[in-house]
Amino acid sequence: MKNNKTKNTVAIGLIYVILLGVFNLLVFTIFKSHSNVFWLSYGFMTLAFVVQIVSMFLSFKTADVETAFFGIPLASFSVFYLCAELVIGALFMIFQMASITLALVIQVLVLAVFLIIAIISLLARDTVQQIGDTVKEHVSNLKSVLVDVEMIMDSCTDPELKASLRKLSETVKYSDPISNEAVADVEQRIMRKISELRINIDDNQIEDAKQSCADLERLYVERNKKLAISK
């Protein structure tokens, strides 16, 4: 996997090297006159290539599907910026008698617009990444509780307690995986009650274990209601 990623990076790097080589060949073959406007435009055009390379790296540096998807707008806008700058720069190379101030202002404005869009895209991508990580953590915690209940149920020999544990496992399985500060206290009580349930089972305290199951059922009802209100 790592070797494939390295090969892909090298291949993409070679493509950009070829494109830059062709770009320089065309520019210095077609344009024999090199005024200040020419060099200014050449600098912005070269910068556009660099910006596009950096934008592609920032867009897809993560393997996460959701955040990679949100990186697509940045990659697209970087291509549009590169094309726009190449057209604008070529026009100023053709009309090198134009004002250098005009050439500078137009190309700076185009770059500024792209940078604003790029920053917004990166902020959106990072926000989605943060939300995704939080959701994954909450789902992981829910699965951890479910695994604990199912393992306790598998080792249980009392029919009534086993039925209570089976009902509890269904309650946990279909609980809302999202969490927030409104249910933090309830979730702490749930974790303490799970530990208490495990101790009851280990000590063969069947009645206490049944009571723990009932308490957990009520805690999950409380949690789900508080989540519904807080959304």
Side-chain angles (χ1 to χ4, degrees), residues 194-230:
I194 287 290
S195 298
E196 183 181 309
L197 173 61
R198 193 182 297 110
I199 293 171
N200 291 335
I201 294 294
D202 291 341
D203 293 342
N204 200 30
Q205 297 173 349
I206 303 302
E207 293 304 319
D208 289 341
K210 290 179 184 178
Q211 184 59 48
S212 294
C213 288
D215 292 341
L216 282 164
E217 291 281 355
R218 285 191 292 271
L219 285 171
Y220 269 100
V221 170
E222 179 184 349
R223 177 184 180 274
N224 291 336
K225 286 183 178 179
K226 285 186 175 180
L227 270 177
I229 293 172
S230 64

PDB file of all heavy atoms in Angstrom, residues 194-230:
ATOM      1  N   ILE A 194     -22.343  -0.580  34.038  1.00  0.00           N
ATOM      2  CA  ILE A 194     -21.831  -1.740  33.292  1.00  0.00           C
ATOM      3  C   ILE A 194     -20.761  -2.451  34.127  1.00  0.00           C
ATOM      4  O   ILE A 194     -20.728  -3.689  34.203  1.00  0.00           O
ATOM      5  CB  ILE A 194     -21.252  -1.302  31.930  1.00  0.00           C
ATOM      6  CG1 ILE A 194     -22.380  -0.925  30.963  1.00  0.00           C
ATOM      7  CG2 ILE A 194     -20.401  -2.403  31.319  1.00  0.00           C
ATOM      8  CD1 ILE A 194     -23.222  -2.077  30.482  1.00  0.00           C
ATOM      9  N   SER A 195     -19.870  -1.675  34.744  1.00  0.00           N
ATOM     10  CA  SER A 195     -18.841  -2.273  35.610  1.00  0.00           C
ATOM     11  C   SER A 195     -19.490  -2.992  36.789  1.00  0.00           C
ATOM     12  O   SER A 195     -19.065  -4.096  37.175  1.00  0.00           O
ATOM     13  CB  SER A 195     -17.893  -1.183  36.118  1.00  0.00           C
ATOM     14  OG  SER A 195     -17.217  -0.560  35.059  1.00  0.00           O
ATOM     15  N   GLU A 196     -20.535  -2.377  37.334  1.00  0.00           N
ATOM     16  CA  GLU A 196     -21.258  -2.994  38.458  1.00  0.00           C
ATOM     17  C   GLU A 196     -21.927  -4.294  38.013  1.00  0.00           C
ATOM     18  O   GLU A 196     -21.899  -5.295  38.742  1.00  0.00           O
ATOM     19  CB  GLU A 196     -22.310  -2.011  38.963  1.00  0.00           C
ATOM     20  CG  GLU A 196     -23.093  -2.487  40.170  1.00  0.00           C
ATOM     21  CD  GLU A 196     -24.125  -1.478  40.602  1.00  0.00           C
ATOM     22  OE1 GLU A 196     -23.764  -0.283  40.770  1.00  0.00           O
ATOM     23  OE2 GLU A 196     -25.307  -1.861  40.762  1.00  0.00           O
ATOM     24  N   LEU A 197     -22.494  -4.293  36.832  1.00  0.00           N
ATOM     25  CA  LEU A 197     -23.131  -5.500  36.292  1.00  0.00           C
ATOM     26  C   LEU A 197     -22.111  -6.620  36.129  1.00  0.00           C
ATOM     27  O   LEU A 197     -22.380  -7.786  36.472  1.00  0.00           O
ATOM     28  CB  LEU A 197     -23.789  -5.190  34.943  1.00  0.00           C
ATOM     29  CG  LEU A 197     -24.368  -6.374  34.159  1.00  0.00           C
ATOM     30  CD1 LEU A 197     -25.477  -7.065  34.947  1.00  0.00           C
ATOM     31  CD2 LEU A 197     -24.877  -5.907  32.793  1.00  0.00           C
ATOM     32  N   ARG A 198     -20.939  -6.270  35.623  1.00  0.00           N
ATOM     33  CA  ARG A 198     -19.892  -7.272  35.436  1.00  0.00           C
ATOM     34  C   ARG A 198     -19.466  -7.878  36.779  1.00  0.00           C
ATOM     35  O   ARG A 198     -19.266  -9.097  36.898  1.00  0.00           O
ATOM     36  CB  ARG A 198     -18.700  -6.628  34.732  1.00  0.00           C
ATOM     37  CG  ARG A 198     -17.675  -7.628  34.213  1.00  0.00           C
ATOM     38  CD  ARG A 198     -16.495  -6.948  33.568  1.00  0.00           C
ATOM     39  NE  ARG A 198     -16.863  -6.176  32.405  1.00  0.00           N
ATOM     40  CZ  ARG A 198     -16.860  -4.847  32.332  1.00  0.00           C
ATOM     41  NH1 ARG A 198     -16.528  -4.138  33.405  1.00  0.00           N
ATOM     42  NH2 ARG A 198     -17.195  -4.225  31.232  1.00  0.00           N
ATOM     43  N   ILE A 199     -19.352  -7.043  37.788  1.00  0.00           N
ATOM     44  CA  ILE A 199     -18.973  -7.532  39.127  1.00  0.00           C
ATOM     45  C   ILE A 199     -20.064  -8.447  39.688  1.00  0.00           C
ATOM     46  O   ILE A 199     -19.773  -9.502  40.289  1.00  0.00           O
ATOM     47  CB  ILE A 199     -18.716  -6.343  40.072  1.00  0.00           C
ATOM     48  CG1 ILE A 199     -17.466  -5.575  39.629  1.00  0.00           C
ATOM     49  CG2 ILE A 199     -18.560  -6.818  41.511  1.00  0.00           C
ATOM     50  CD1 ILE A 199     -17.252  -4.270  40.359  1.00  0.00           C
ATOM     51  N   ASN A 200     -21.327  -8.051  39.478  1.00  0.00           N
ATOM     52  CA  ASN A 200     -22.442  -8.880  39.958  1.00  0.00           C
ATOM     53  C   ASN A 200     -22.427 -10.269  39.318  1.00  0.00           C
ATOM     54  O   ASN A 200     -22.669 -11.279  39.984  1.00  0.00           O
ATOM     55  CB  ASN A 200     -23.777  -8.194  39.667  1.00  0.00           C
ATOM     56  CG  ASN A 200     -23.994  -6.955  40.513  1.00  0.00           C
ATOM     57  OD1 ASN A 200     -23.432  -6.829  41.595  1.00  0.00           O
ATOM     58  ND2 ASN A 200     -24.805  -6.035  40.018  1.00  0.00           N
ATOM     59  N   ILE A 201     -22.142 -10.305  38.036  1.00  0.00           N
ATOM     60  CA  ILE A 201     -22.084 -11.591  37.325  1.00  0.00           C
ATOM     61  C   ILE A 201     -20.922 -12.427  37.840  1.00  0.00           C
ATOM     62  O   ILE A 201     -21.061 -13.637  38.086  1.00  0.00           O
ATOM     63  CB  ILE A 201     -21.958 -11.367  35.803  1.00  0.00           C
ATOM     64  CG1 ILE A 201     -23.217 -10.703  35.243  1.00  0.00           C
ATOM     65  CG2 ILE A 201     -21.697 -12.685  35.081  1.00  0.00           C
ATOM     66  CD1 ILE A 201     -24.470 -11.543  35.306  1.00  0.00           C
ATOM     67  N   ASP A 202     -19.760 -11.769  38.015  1.00  0.00           N
ATOM     68  CA  ASP A 202     -18.583 -12.500  38.496  1.00  0.00           C
ATOM     69  C   ASP A 202     -18.814 -13.064  39.899  1.00  0.00           C
ATOM     70  O   ASP A 202     -18.322 -14.158  40.226  1.00  0.00           O
ATOM     71  CB  ASP A 202     -17.359 -11.577  38.508  1.00  0.00           C
ATOM     72  CG  ASP A 202     -16.897 -11.208  37.108  1.00  0.00           C
ATOM     73  OD1 ASP A 202     -17.275 -11.932  36.160  1.00  0.00           O
ATOM     74  OD2 ASP A 202     -16.177 -10.192  36.962  1.00  0.00           O
ATOM     75  N   ASP A 203     -19.586 -12.325  40.712  1.00  0.00           N
ATOM     76  CA  ASP A 203     -19.855 -12.777  42.087  1.00  0.00           C
ATOM     77  C   ASP A 203     -21.116 -13.638  42.180  1.00  0.00           C
ATOM     78  O   ASP A 203     -21.523 -14.018  43.293  1.00  0.00           O
ATOM     79  CB  ASP A 203     -20.007 -11.564  43.015  1.00  0.00           C
ATOM     80  CG  ASP A 203     -18.705 -10.788  43.177  1.00  0.00           C
ATOM     81  OD1 ASP A 203     -17.642 -11.370  42.859  1.00  0.00           O
ATOM     82  OD2 ASP A 203     -18.742  -9.616  43.598  1.00  0.00           O
ATOM     83  N   ASN A 204     -21.710 -13.920  41.010  1.00  0.00           N
ATOM     84  CA  ASN A 204     -22.925 -14.754  40.936  1.00  0.00           C
ATOM     85  C   ASN A 204     -24.088 -14.148  41.738  1.00  0.00           C
ATOM     86  O   ASN A 204     -24.916 -14.861  42.307  1.00  0.00           O
ATOM     87  CB  ASN A 204     -22.629 -16.184  41.434  1.00  0.00           C
ATOM     88  CG  ASN A 204     -23.668 -17.181  40.925  1.00  0.00           C
ATOM     89  OD1 ASN A 204     -24.232 -16.999  39.834  1.00  0.00           O
ATOM     90  ND2 ASN A 204     -23.936 -18.215  41.689  1.00  0.00           N
ATOM     91  N   GLN A 205     -24.152 -12.828  41.752  1.00  0.00           N
ATOM     92  CA  GLN A 205     -25.246 -12.129  42.426  1.00  0.00           C
ATOM     93  C   GLN A 205     -26.352 -11.867  41.387  1.00  0.00           C
ATOM     94  O   GLN A 205     -26.446 -10.775  40.818  1.00  0.00           O
ATOM     95  CB  GLN A 205     -24.736 -10.828  43.055  1.00  0.00           C
ATOM     96  CG  GLN A 205     -23.687 -11.055  44.149  1.00  0.00           C
ATOM     97  CD  GLN A 205     -23.073  -9.764  44.654  1.00  0.00           C
ATOM     98  OE1 GLN A 205     -23.255  -8.700  44.078  1.00  0.00           O
ATOM     99  NE2 GLN A 205     -22.340  -9.859  45.760  1.00  0.00           N
ATOM    100  N   ILE A 206     -27.159 -12.856  41.148  1.00  0.00           N
ATOM    101  CA  ILE A 206     -28.132 -12.838  40.058  1.00  0.00           C
ATOM    102  C   ILE A 206     -29.150 -11.711  40.229  1.00  0.00           C
ATOM    103  O   ILE A 206     -29.439 -10.974  39.274  1.00  0.00           O
ATOM    104  CB  ILE A 206     -28.858 -14.198  39.960  1.00  0.00           C
ATOM    105  CG1 ILE A 206     -27.835 -15.334  39.773  1.00  0.00           C
ATOM    106  CG2 ILE A 206     -29.849 -14.178  38.806  1.00  0.00           C
ATOM    107  CD1 ILE A 206     -26.958 -15.179  38.561  1.00  0.00           C
ATOM    108  N   GLU A 207     -29.711 -11.585  41.423  1.00  0.00           N
ATOM    109  CA  GLU A 207     -30.733 -10.560  41.641  1.00  0.00           C
ATOM    110  C   GLU A 207     -30.158  -9.156  41.463  1.00  0.00           C
ATOM    111  O   GLU A 207     -30.808  -8.281  40.873  1.00  0.00           O
ATOM    112  CB  GLU A 207     -31.352 -10.717  43.038  1.00  0.00           C
ATOM    113  CG  GLU A 207     -32.160 -11.994  43.217  1.00  0.00           C
ATOM    114  CD  GLU A 207     -33.275 -12.134  42.191  1.00  0.00           C
ATOM    115  OE1 GLU A 207     -33.936 -11.094  41.895  1.00  0.00           O
ATOM    116  OE2 GLU A 207     -33.473 -13.239  41.672  1.00  0.00           O
ATOM    117  N   ASP A 208     -28.963  -8.953  41.970  1.00  0.00           N
ATOM    118  CA  ASP A 208     -28.317  -7.647  41.802  1.00  0.00           C
ATOM    119  C   ASP A 208     -28.034  -7.380  40.325  1.00  0.00           C
ATOM    120  O   ASP A 208     -28.139  -6.238  39.852  1.00  0.00           O
ATOM    121  CB  ASP A 208     -27.021  -7.585  42.593  1.00  0.00           C
ATOM    122  CG  ASP A 208     -27.269  -7.537  44.094  1.00  0.00           C
ATOM    123  OD1 ASP A 208     -28.405  -7.182  44.487  1.00  0.00           O
ATOM    124  OD2 ASP A 208     -26.345  -7.859  44.866  1.00  0.00           O
ATOM    125  N   ALA A 209     -27.660  -8.432  39.594  1.00  0.00           N
ATOM    126  CA  ALA A 209     -27.393  -8.295  38.162  1.00  0.00           C
ATOM    127  C   ALA A 209     -28.668  -7.919  37.413  1.00  0.00           C
ATOM    128  O   ALA A 209     -28.649  -7.082  36.497  1.00  0.00           O
ATOM    129  CB  ALA A 209     -26.801  -9.583  37.607  1.00  0.00           C
ATOM    130  N   LYS A 210     -29.794  -8.537  37.780  1.00  0.00           N
ATOM    131  CA  LYS A 210     -31.083  -8.200  37.162  1.00  0.00           C
ATOM    132  C   LYS A 210     -31.426  -6.730  37.418  1.00  0.00           C
ATOM    133  O   LYS A 210     -31.915  -6.027  36.529  1.00  0.00           O
ATOM    134  CB  LYS A 210     -32.183  -9.092  37.708  1.00  0.00           C
ATOM    135  CG  LYS A 210     -32.101 -10.549  37.274  1.00  0.00           C
ATOM    136  CD  LYS A 210     -33.229 -11.355  37.902  1.00  0.00           C
ATOM    137  CE  LYS A 210     -33.109 -12.837  37.550  1.00  0.00           C
ATOM    138  NZ  LYS A 210     -34.174 -13.641  38.196  1.00  0.00           N
ATOM    139  N   GLN A 211     -31.186  -6.293  38.646  1.00  0.00           N
ATOM    140  CA  GLN A 211     -31.453  -4.892  38.997  1.00  0.00           C
ATOM    141  C   GLN A 211     -30.560  -3.953  38.187  1.00  0.00           C
ATOM    142  O   GLN A 211     -31.003  -2.892  37.726  1.00  0.00           O
ATOM    143  CB  GLN A 211     -31.226  -4.680  40.489  1.00  0.00           C
ATOM    144  CG  GLN A 211     -31.577  -3.272  40.983  1.00  0.00           C
ATOM    145  CD  GLN A 211     -33.027  -2.916  40.727  1.00  0.00           C
ATOM    146  OE1 GLN A 211     -33.934  -3.702  41.035  1.00  0.00           O
ATOM    147  NE2 GLN A 211     -33.249  -1.738  40.149  1.00  0.00           N
ATOM    148  N   SER A 212     -29.309  -4.351  37.980  1.00  0.00           N
ATOM    149  CA  SER A 212     -28.390  -3.536  37.175  1.00  0.00           C
ATOM    150  C   SER A 212     -28.893  -3.426  35.740  1.00  0.00           C
ATOM    151  O   SER A 212     -28.801  -2.359  35.114  1.00  0.00           O
ATOM    152  CB  SER A 212     -26.985  -4.139  37.207  1.00  0.00           C
ATOM    153  OG  SER A 212     -26.427  -4.079  38.504  1.00  0.00           O
ATOM    154  N   CYS A 213     -29.420  -4.541  35.212  1.00  0.00           N
ATOM    155  CA  CYS A 213     -29.978  -4.520  33.850  1.00  0.00           C
ATOM    156  C   CYS A 213     -31.149  -3.545  33.766  1.00  0.00           C
ATOM    157  O   CYS A 213     -31.266  -2.763  32.814  1.00  0.00           O
ATOM    158  CB  CYS A 213     -30.431  -5.917  33.432  1.00  0.00           C
ATOM    159  SG  CYS A 213     -29.080  -7.062  33.087  1.00  0.00           S
ATOM    160  N   ALA A 214     -32.027  -3.593  34.775  1.00  0.00           N
ATOM    161  CA  ALA A 214     -33.176  -2.690  34.803  1.00  0.00           C
ATOM    162  C   ALA A 214     -32.717  -1.238  34.916  1.00  0.00           C
ATOM    163  O   ALA A 214     -33.270  -0.343  34.251  1.00  0.00           O
ATOM    164  CB  ALA A 214     -34.093  -3.058  35.964  1.00  0.00           C
ATOM    165  N   ASP A 215     -31.706  -0.999  35.727  1.00  0.00           N
ATOM    166  CA  ASP A 215     -31.176   0.358  35.883  1.00  0.00           C
ATOM    167  C   ASP A 215     -30.579   0.860  34.567  1.00  0.00           C
ATOM    168  O   ASP A 215     -30.745   2.039  34.204  1.00  0.00           O
ATOM    169  CB  ASP A 215     -30.108   0.388  36.980  1.00  0.00           C
ATOM    170  CG  ASP A 215     -30.696   0.146  38.372  1.00  0.00           C
ATOM    171  OD1 ASP A 215     -31.923   0.308  38.534  1.00  0.00           O
ATOM    172  OD2 ASP A 215     -29.911  -0.216  39.279  1.00  0.00           O
ATOM    173  N   LEU A 216     -29.877  -0.018  33.876  1.00  0.00           N
ATOM    174  CA  LEU A 216     -29.285   0.360  32.586  1.00  0.00           C
ATOM    175  C   LEU A 216     -30.357   0.681  31.551  1.00  0.00           C
ATOM    176  O   LEU A 216     -30.206   1.608  30.743  1.00  0.00           O
ATOM    177  CB  LEU A 216     -28.368  -0.758  32.081  1.00  0.00           C
ATOM    178  CG  LEU A 216     -26.990  -0.826  32.743  1.00  0.00           C
ATOM    179  CD1 LEU A 216     -26.314  -2.164  32.467  1.00  0.00           C
ATOM    180  CD2 LEU A 216     -26.106   0.321  32.247  1.00  0.00           C
ATOM    181  N   GLU A 217     -31.436  -0.097  31.552  1.00  0.00           N
ATOM    182  CA  GLU A 217     -32.553   0.185  30.640  1.00  0.00           C
ATOM    183  C   GLU A 217     -33.073   1.601  30.886  1.00  0.00           C
ATOM    184  O   GLU A 217     -33.311   2.367  29.946  1.00  0.00           O
ATOM    185  CB  GLU A 217     -33.678  -0.829  30.837  1.00  0.00           C
ATOM    186  CG  GLU A 217     -33.352  -2.243  30.387  1.00  0.00           C
ATOM    187  CD  GLU A 217     -33.456  -2.420  28.880  1.00  0.00           C
ATOM    188  OE1 GLU A 217     -33.882  -1.468  28.194  1.00  0.00           O
ATOM    189  OE2 GLU A 217     -33.090  -3.505  28.387  1.00  0.00           O
ATOM    190  N   ARG A 218     -33.274   1.961  32.161  1.00  0.00           N
ATOM    191  CA  ARG A 218     -33.779   3.291  32.495  1.00  0.00           C
ATOM    192  C   ARG A 218     -32.771   4.387  32.122  1.00  0.00           C
ATOM    193  O   ARG A 218     -33.147   5.465  31.651  1.00  0.00           O
ATOM    194  CB  ARG A 218     -34.097   3.361  33.996  1.00  0.00           C
ATOM    195  CG  ARG A 218     -35.381   2.622  34.380  1.00  0.00           C
ATOM    196  CD  ARG A 218     -35.802   2.951  35.805  1.00  0.00           C
ATOM    197  NE  ARG A 218     -34.869   2.406  36.785  1.00  0.00           N
ATOM    198  CZ  ARG A 218     -34.983   1.181  37.303  1.00  0.00           C
ATOM    199  NH1 ARG A 218     -35.985   0.390  36.943  1.00  0.00           N
ATOM    200  NH2 ARG A 218     -34.110   0.746  38.200  1.00  0.00           N
ATOM    201  N   LEU A 219     -31.488   4.094  32.302  1.00  0.00           N
ATOM    202  CA  LEU A 219     -30.455   5.070  31.943  1.00  0.00           C
ATOM    203  C   LEU A 219     -30.440   5.331  30.443  1.00  0.00           C
ATOM    204  O   LEU A 219     -30.260   6.479  30.000  1.00  0.00           O
ATOM    205  CB  LEU A 219     -29.086   4.578  32.411  1.00  0.00           C
ATOM    206  CG  LEU A 219     -28.802   4.680  33.915  1.00  0.00           C
ATOM    207  CD1 LEU A 219     -27.510   3.962  34.275  1.00  0.00           C
ATOM    208  CD2 LEU A 219     -28.740   6.148  34.355  1.00  0.00           C
ATOM    209  N   TYR A 220     -30.629   4.281  29.654  1.00  0.00           N
ATOM    210  CA  TYR A 220     -30.649   4.468  28.196  1.00  0.00           C
ATOM    211  C   TYR A 220     -31.902   5.225  27.755  1.00  0.00           C
ATOM    212  O   TYR A 220     -31.848   6.017  26.800  1.00  0.00           O
ATOM    213  CB  TYR A 220     -30.538   3.122  27.479  1.00  0.00           C
ATOM    214  CG  TYR A 220     -29.101   2.747  27.198  1.00  0.00           C
ATOM    215  CD1 TYR A 220     -28.429   1.841  28.014  1.00  0.00           C
ATOM    216  CD2 TYR A 220     -28.407   3.325  26.148  1.00  0.00           C
ATOM    217  CE1 TYR A 220     -27.104   1.517  27.773  1.00  0.00           C
ATOM    218  CE2 TYR A 220     -27.082   3.002  25.905  1.00  0.00           C
ATOM    219  CZ  TYR A 220     -26.438   2.107  26.716  1.00  0.00           C
ATOM    220  OH  TYR A 220     -25.117   1.807  26.484  1.00  0.00           O
ATOM    221  N   VAL A 221     -33.019   5.000  28.429  1.00  0.00           N
ATOM    222  CA  VAL A 221     -34.227   5.770  28.127  1.00  0.00           C
ATOM    223  C   VAL A 221     -33.970   7.254  28.437  1.00  0.00           C
ATOM    224  O   VAL A 221     -34.316   8.144  27.643  1.00  0.00           O
ATOM    225  CB  VAL A 221     -35.431   5.255  28.951  1.00  0.00           C
ATOM    226  CG1 VAL A 221     -36.617   6.216  28.828  1.00  0.00           C
ATOM    227  CG2 VAL A 221     -35.833   3.867  28.486  1.00  0.00           C
ATOM    228  N   GLU A 222     -33.357   7.512  29.598  1.00  0.00           N
ATOM    229  CA  GLU A 222     -33.028   8.886  29.971  1.00  0.00           C
ATOM    230  C   GLU A 222     -32.075   9.509  28.958  1.00  0.00           C
ATOM    231  O   GLU A 222     -32.253  10.668  28.541  1.00  0.00           O
ATOM    232  CB  GLU A 222     -32.399   8.898  31.366  1.00  0.00           C
ATOM    233  CG  GLU A 222     -32.003  10.290  31.850  1.00  0.00           C
ATOM    234  CD  GLU A 222     -31.299  10.260  33.200  1.00  0.00           C
ATOM    235  OE1 GLU A 222     -31.293   9.191  33.856  1.00  0.00           O
ATOM    236  OE2 GLU A 222     -30.747  11.310  33.594  1.00  0.00           O
ATOM    237  N   ARG A 223     -31.057   8.743  28.560  1.00  0.00           N
ATOM    238  CA  ARG A 223     -30.072   9.250  27.584  1.00  0.00           C
ATOM    239  C   ARG A 223     -30.734   9.610  26.263  1.00  0.00           C
ATOM    240  O   ARG A 223     -30.485  10.688  25.698  1.00  0.00           O
ATOM    241  CB  ARG A 223     -28.995   8.190  27.356  1.00  0.00           C
ATOM    242  CG  ARG A 223     -27.957   8.571  26.306  1.00  0.00           C
ATOM    243  CD  ARG A 223     -26.982   7.438  26.074  1.00  0.00           C
ATOM    244  NE  ARG A 223     -25.984   7.798  25.076  1.00  0.00           N
ATOM    245  CZ  ARG A 223     -26.168   7.658  23.774  1.00  0.00           C
ATOM    246  NH1 ARG A 223     -27.331   7.194  23.305  1.00  0.00           N
ATOM    247  NH2 ARG A 223     -25.205   8.010  22.927  1.00  0.00           N
ATOM    248  N   ASN A 224     -31.576   8.719  25.759  1.00  0.00           N
ATOM    249  CA  ASN A 224     -32.215   8.963  24.461  1.00  0.00           C
ATOM    250  C   ASN A 224     -33.151  10.160  24.509  1.00  0.00           C
ATOM    251  O   ASN A 224     -33.250  10.934  23.552  1.00  0.00           O
ATOM    252  CB  ASN A 224     -32.967   7.707  24.012  1.00  0.00           C
ATOM    253  CG  ASN A 224     -32.017   6.582  23.664  1.00  0.00           C
ATOM    254  OD1 ASN A 224     -30.853   6.808  23.317  1.00  0.00           O
ATOM    255  ND2 ASN A 224     -32.486   5.343  23.758  1.00  0.00           N
ATOM    256  N   LYS A 225     -33.856  10.325  25.617  1.00  0.00           N
ATOM    257  CA  LYS A 225     -34.758  11.482  25.747  1.00  0.00           C
ATOM    258  C   LYS A 225     -33.981  12.784  25.798  1.00  0.00           C
ATOM    259  O   LYS A 225     -34.349  13.775  25.148  1.00  0.00           O
ATOM    260  CB  LYS A 225     -35.622  11.322  27.008  1.00  0.00           C
ATOM    261  CG  LYS A 225     -36.738  10.292  26.886  1.00  0.00           C
ATOM    262  CD  LYS A 225     -37.579  10.247  28.148  1.00  0.00           C
ATOM    263  CE  LYS A 225     -38.723   9.243  27.996  1.00  0.00           C
ATOM    264  NZ  LYS A 225     -39.564   9.153  29.230  1.00  0.00           N
ATOM    265  N   LYS A 226     -32.873  12.806  26.543  1.00  0.00           N
ATOM    266  CA  LYS A 226     -32.065  14.020  26.647  1.00  0.00           C
ATOM    267  C   LYS A 226     -31.414  14.349  25.293  1.00  0.00           C
ATOM    268  O   LYS A 226     -31.282  15.530  24.931  1.00  0.00           O
ATOM    269  CB  LYS A 226     -30.988  13.852  27.720  1.00  0.00           C
ATOM    270  CG  LYS A 226     -31.535  13.934  29.135  1.00  0.00           C
ATOM    271  CD  LYS A 226     -30.419  13.919  30.175  1.00  0.00           C
ATOM    272  CE  LYS A 226     -30.969  14.121  31.586  1.00  0.00           C
ATOM    273  NZ  LYS A 226     -29.907  14.121  32.607  1.00  0.00           N
ATOM    274  N   LEU A 227     -31.022  13.302  24.559  1.00  0.00           N
ATOM    275  CA  LEU A 227     -30.455  13.539  23.228  1.00  0.00           C
ATOM    276  C   LEU A 227     -31.488  14.145  22.297  1.00  0.00           C
ATOM    277  O   LEU A 227     -31.192  15.069  21.531  1.00  0.00           O
ATOM    278  CB  LEU A 227     -29.937  12.216  22.638  1.00  0.00           C
ATOM    279  CG  LEU A 227     -28.482  11.831  22.929  1.00  0.00           C
ATOM    280  CD1 LEU A 227     -28.179  10.465  22.341  1.00  0.00           C
ATOM    281  CD2 LEU A 227     -27.526  12.870  22.405  1.00  0.00           C
ATOM    282  N   ALA A 228     -32.705  13.613  22.349  1.00  0.00           N
ATOM    283  CA  ALA A 228     -33.778  14.109  21.480  1.00  0.00           C
ATOM    284  C   ALA A 228     -34.082  15.574  21.771  1.00  0.00           C
ATOM    285  O   ALA A 228     -34.315  16.367  20.856  1.00  0.00           O
ATOM    286  CB  ALA A 228     -35.029  13.256  21.669  1.00  0.00           C
ATOM    287  N   ILE A 229     -34.057  15.947  23.052  1.00  0.00           N
ATOM    288  CA  ILE A 229     -34.354  17.327  23.437  1.00  0.00           C
ATOM    289  C   ILE A 229     -33.227  18.262  23.014  1.00  0.00           C
ATOM    290  O   ILE A 229     -33.460  19.405  22.578  1.00  0.00           O
ATOM    291  CB  ILE A 229     -34.569  17.416  24.965  1.00  0.00           C
ATOM    292  CG1 ILE A 229     -35.847  16.671  25.365  1.00  0.00           C
ATOM    293  CG2 ILE A 229     -34.659  18.874  25.407  1.00  0.00           C
ATOM    294  CD1 ILE A 229     -36.034  16.543  26.857  1.00  0.00           C
ATOM    295  N   SER A 230     -31.980  17.799  23.116  1.00  0.00           N
ATOM    296  CA  SER A 230     -30.817  18.656  22.853  1.00  0.00           C
ATOM    297  C   SER A 230     -30.547  18.854  21.367  1.00  0.00           C
ATOM    298  O   SER A 230     -29.761  19.732  20.999  1.00  0.00           O
ATOM    299  CB  SER A 230     -29.570  18.060  23.511  1.00  0.00           C
ATOM    300  OG  SER A 230     -29.247  16.807  22.949  1.00  0.00           O
TER     301      SER A 230
END
